[in-house]
Amino acid sequence: MELGTIKQQIFQWMGWLSIVTGLVSIAVINIYLLWGLNVPIGKNISLWLWVTILLGIIAIFNKKSRSLGFWGIGLGLYLGLFYMVMFILGWMINPFP
Amino acid sequence: MNPYDKLIQKAKQDGGKQSDKGSATIKRAINSSKWRLILSTLTVLLLIVPTCYMLTFGYYAFGTKSTTLMDVASKTLYITEPNTTLEEMEFDMDFTLFSMNLTFDQYKQIGDEIYPAKEYDLQFIFKDLVKKETNSHLEKVYPKNPTETNQWLAHPEQRVEFNGANEWRVLSGLPEETVVEAYISLDKLYSVDEVVDSMENIDVTWAAIYTGTEDTMLSEDGDVVSPIGYPVQPDQTYWSPFRDSTSHEETFLTMLKEIEPYEDLAVEVSPHKNLELDERIDYLEENGLATYGVVVTGPTEEIAKLQELEMVRHMKLGEVKLWNWGR
């Protein structure tokens, strides 16, 4: 296999992995929310968020995997927005610790 | 094989290779599209619940505030449930899709100590109260459906449904080593300070305020109204609206005005059916505050002495506990 093809496939796999890690994180959040549990902000899920964004950023450097990269970054940003809303609005609507 | 045949043969071989390569590319493209479709569907599905939660949080932060709903609920109970208090740390708020669940405990002073009185479980969908569950720990429960005459605290012009003489007899039969809560109806309207000064060695915990409707217990529209009043004792509970209040009367009036825009909710939270706040606030602003009945607590013996007071018209016995009076 040519080096160019391998490089392209690596970028594509990075893109797919970024989407999958983002979706897994959101799926975990769904499970917590649907079971009525507190979403563990700042634990493993934050690590997944950074992995999702990092893989997405790598994927956008290749033309063929760019759309996958943006998709992954979008999921990562959504996760970030979700944590921020839950944290800031959470304090606003529930004044008790 | 001549050069022409060789050329044809070579072209055929190259074409075959290209066709294999082409079908592999198409297969990969189909697979990629298939996964894109699956994952984009999954993305949309997985975003629904977290997005709804963010909208819910946004609604309770910037729309009808969760703290407003909590304030209305707690203030309503302070003014409609005689001798009760709420503890800040006992409030528990949970948020689910477009709804808020509020649970808290209500307490009562009996003698010198505070006892759990009721547990409240309120469920709101947006700002509408859709579920209200209460679990009472009390032995004597205030009438759930008020009529003109079934109140425990009665205006001088109102009759009562309980046997007043019997209540005094029951009180005198209690052991001396007990403390009690009693609902005292007065013979006319008094200022709260006047009543507190007349009743020594006991705590006057709550005063029912005359708002122009209690002589008939009917509003201008002919609806049965519920008694309202305020806690008399200084309340240092952080959560209490009466904390650091220089005048409980002013705080009471302010609370009524704060609750008024949410009267429908207040009526649903309260055990009573009608508050008619608009009419009653107008009366209080014009005529000031006077009480026709108070809730007191203290040693049984001291409460029994109230029978000798001229101002006491009726007594309804509330909760009884073993001696805890440490003064």
Side-chain angles (χ1 to χ4, degrees):
Chain A
M1 205 178 275
E2 287 175 43
L3 189 64
T5 316
I6 293 172
K7 215 166 119 186
Q8 190 178 304
Q9 279 198 346
I10 288 172
F11 276 111
Q12 282 205 326
W13 275 110
M14 292 274 190
W16 285 116
L17 207 59
S18 166
I19 293 166
V20 170
T21 49
L23 287 179
V24 168
S25 306
I26 296 175
V28 170
I29 287 174
N30 270 270
I31 292 166
Y32 272 94
L33 293 177
L34 291 172
W35 281 97
L37 304 169
N38 289 327
V39 179
I41 298 170
K43 289 188 181 170
N44 289 340
I45 287 183
S46 306
L47 177 76
W48 285 83
L49 184 154
W50 292 116
V51 170
T52 305
I53 292 178
L54 197 73
L55 291 174
I57 288 171
I58 295 170
I60 60 171
F61 286 110
N62 185 284
K63 202 179 170 187
K64 291 212 166 171
S65 62
R66 192 161 292 159
S67 61
L68 298 176
F70 281 125
W71 188 348
I73 290 171
L75 290 175
L77 292 179
Y78 180 87
L79 279 168
L81 174 77
F82 178 78
Y83 290 138
M84 263 170 41
V85 168
M86 294 298 271
F87 186 74
I88 298 168
L89 295 190
W91 273 105
M92 284 173 73
I93 62 174
N94 190 353
F96 307 112
Chain B
M1 200 181 279
N2 60 35
Y4 177 74
D5 287 339
K6 273 183 189 171
L7 195 68
I8 294 289
Q9 190 66 32
K10 196 178 173 230
K12 273 182 182 174
Q13 277 172 358
D14 285 356
K17 271 182 200 167
Q18 264 181 0
S19 154
D20 286 348
K21 211 175 176 182
S23 70
T25 311
I26 290 169
K27 209 175 167 186
R28 210 166 40 238
I30 289 172
N31 262 335
S32 172
S33 298
K34 195 173 76 182
W35 279 108
R36 272 173 199 263
L37 189 65
I38 291 169
L39 290 182
S40 56
T41 310
L42 205 61
T43 304
V44 171
L45 290 176
L46 289 175
L47 292 187
I48 292 172
V49 173
T51 306
C52 288
Y53 262 86
M54 286 196 282
L55 292 174
T56 304
F57 272 45
Y59 176 80
Y60 285 114
F62 304 112
T64 304
K65 292 185 176 176
S66 56
T67 45
T68 306
L69 294 175
M70 188 176 63
D71 275 350
V72 171
S74 64
K75 283 175 181 170
T76 302
L77 295 178
Y78 268 101
I79 63 162
T80 59
E81 297 244 342
N83 183 27
T84 55
T85 183
L86 306 172
E87 293 283 328
E88 179 205 3
M89 298 313 282
E90 305 295 331
F91 274 87
D92 192 13
M93 286 168 115
D94 281 320
F95 296 88
T96 47
L97 291 178
F98 304 115
S99 79
M100 176 178 98
N101 190 260
L102 184 62
T103 50
F104 54 89
D105 292 335
Q106 191 182 34
Y107 295 85
K108 217 175 226 305
Q109 183 187 342
I110 305 159
D112 215 7
E113 285 183 10
I114 306 287
Y115 292 89
K118 277 184 193 175
E119 291 161 17
Y120 278 83
D121 184 357
L122 309 177
Q123 174 108 39
F124 296 89
I125 289 185
F126 292 111
K127 63 175 181 175
D128 297 324
L129 183 70
V130 292
K131 188 186 93 178
K132 177 191 161 191
E133 279 180 12
T134 55
N135 180 22
S136 175
H137 302 296
L138 302 174
E139 286 168 8
K140 299 273 185 82
V141 182
Y142 205 88
K144 269 186 185 170
N145 300 309
T147 64
E148 293 99 310
T149 53
N150 74 350
Q151 301 296 327
W152 287 3
L153 291 170
H155 185 272
E157 288 178 23
Q158 269 289 352
R159 59 190 176 84
V160 291
E161 286 183 7
F162 57 84
N163 184 337
N166 193 42
E167 293 294 319
W168 287 114
R169 268 198 300 276
V170 172
L171 181 71
S172 63
L174 287 172
E176 278 185 16
E177 300 82 12
T178 51
V179 287
V180 298
E181 174 204 38
Y183 293 73
I184 308 289
S185 301
L186 305 170
D187 65 334
K188 59 179 183 179
L189 298 179
Y190 292 90
S191 74
V192 174
D193 287 341
E194 221 175 327
V195 178
V196 173
D197 292 342
S198 314
M199 299 182 174
E200 293 172 343
N201 304 323
I202 57 169
D203 282 347
V204 178
T205 57
W206 197 83
I209 300 298
Y210 180 62
T211 59
T213 57
E214 285 78 2
D215 38 0
T216 56
M217 289 310 279
L218 296 172
S219 68
E220 280 174 359
D221 304 332
D223 299 321
V224 177
V225 294
S226 57
I228 56 173
Y230 63 85
V232 177
Q233 297 290 313
D235 191 350
Q236 288 309 314
T237 315
Y238 183 75
W239 182 250
S240 170
F242 293 92
R243 179 186 159 91
D244 298 332
S245 161
T246 47
S247 162
H248 281 209
E249 294 185 352
E250 275 176 30
T251 310
F252 170 63
L253 207 52
T254 311
M255 278 168 67
L256 291 182
K257 287 175 187 169
E258 284 170 0
I259 295 172
E260 198 197 347
Y262 304 95
E263 187 167 337
D264 290 344
L265 170 63
V267 167
E268 285 178 62
V269 172
S270 148
H272 307 293
K273 298 295 168 230
N274 277 302
L275 292 174
E276 304 293 344
L277 292 176
D278 192 26
E279 179 185 332
R280 295 168 108 176
I281 290 169
D282 287 346
Y283 179 88
L284 291 174
E285 282 183 330
E286 265 178 46
N287 301 283
L289 279 72
T291 181
Y292 61 91
V294 290
V295 181
V296 296
T297 184
T300 303
E301 200 182 353
E302 296 294 335
I303 301 287
K305 285 180 190 168
L306 296 180
Q307 196 172 8
E308 295 157 17
L309 286 181
E310 214 172 278
M311 63 165 58
V312 175
R313 183 169 155 250
H314 291 296
M315 188 276 295
K316 171 75 184 166
L317 194 58
E319 298 293 306
V320 180
K321 294 282 176 194
L322 284 175
W323 186 265
N324 59 24
W325 198 253
R327 294 177 226 175

